[in-house]
Amino acid sequence: MTINILFAAKSERWATYEAPLSRALSQAGLEFELRPDFPPAEVDYIIYAPNSSLQDFRPYTRLKAVLNLWAGVEDVVQNETLKVPLTRMVDHGLTQGMVEWVTGHVLRHHLGMDAHILGQDGQWRTAVPPLAEDRPVTILGMGALGQACAAALTGLGFPVSGWSRSAKTVPQVATYHGYDGLQTALSTAQILVLLLPDTPVTTDILNADTLAELPRGAIVINPGRGPLIDDNALIAALDSGQLAHATLDVFRVEPLPADHPFWAHPKITVTPHIASATREGTASQTIAENIRRGEAGEPFLHVVDRALGY
Ligand code: NAP
């Protein structure tokens, strides 16, 4: 029987996704109809972006799963009209993009590149940066993205610590969990990378108290989510010298308002939520594999725990 798949995202996304999704679904051996509109009662699966106009799932009476196109699910996970499994995006392109962005920004700060890029002023600055092996990096969040970034950074020689909700073993990474584990993970972090999801528990995880646990002069890099950081505490830590710099890709309000103090702060770099993005080609394969699994009665990949919020 034909599987009806609704593509529910901003209309401009349909143009980029239609061909790779159709190809991946065909390669998965599925007999399907893929459209940006369907009578709700005929839909089996929804490929979903949380900023689409679809917010009420109740009319989708034969729905089997909602397949989120994004890694972050904070804008859909609390939706009480959604009763079927929700999966989130884990895909090679998204992961590799994040690894490249994080590695680039870690290296910028580690090597002190700004002094040479911005300081073309005739001064012969001879300070040689330390080796990576002398620059401890901590990553909060040891999920798909945190672990991939840890692998890249340990490959370059950085000593990496990782913190997560549950205990885990990650090759070449000193792992911690729980509140005491957080303090230990922060205490050595010359560079701190945030790759946690936005949940009620992680909101403001970087606040005046936790910022004070970092070594003086630490760098914060946040490609996770804006609400992970207490904005005022971050600015205070930068102004006091507790932090040397913050590179921020995500914000409580996006786009970051033009009058937000982050824009003008000399120790903050703003990037416009571009650390990584779902890539149509590889993401389509993840989606197709999950629909294949659904039809074969196999467990879905990357199912969101609605109680935990990620
Ligand atoms: P993931 O695989 O779900 O990993 C999340 C990690 O956070 C896990 O290690 C989890 O611990 C940990 N965690 C969650 N709640 C915690 C808590 N209360 N205390 C300690 N650790 C906690 O997610 P992912 O694919 O790596 O993505 C991470 C986040 O990156 C996404 O949620 C999204 O917000 C963000 N992101 C940003 C961009 C961008 O362009 N800026 C792009 C993609 C994703 P356990 O391992 O114990 O479960």
Side-chain angles (χ1 to χ4, degrees), residues 88 142-145 163-166 168 197 223 225 249 276 310:
R88 58 182 215 95
M142 276 282 103
L145 300 179
W163 183 70
S164 50
R165 185 184 53 79
S166 56
K168 56 184 69 212
R225 282 291 184 264
D249 184 59
S276 191
Y310 71 98

Side-chain angles (χ1 to χ4, degrees), residues 169-203:
T169 304
V170 181
Q172 292 184 276
V173 176
T175 51
Y176 303 94
H177 68 284
Y179 190 69
D180 290 347
L182 176 61
Q183 289 179 313
T184 311
L186 292 176
S187 67
T188 58
Q190 290 186 20
I191 299 179
L192 179 70
V193 180
L194 303 186
L195 277 169
L196 292 163
D198 174 14
T199 73
V201 181
T202 62
T203 301

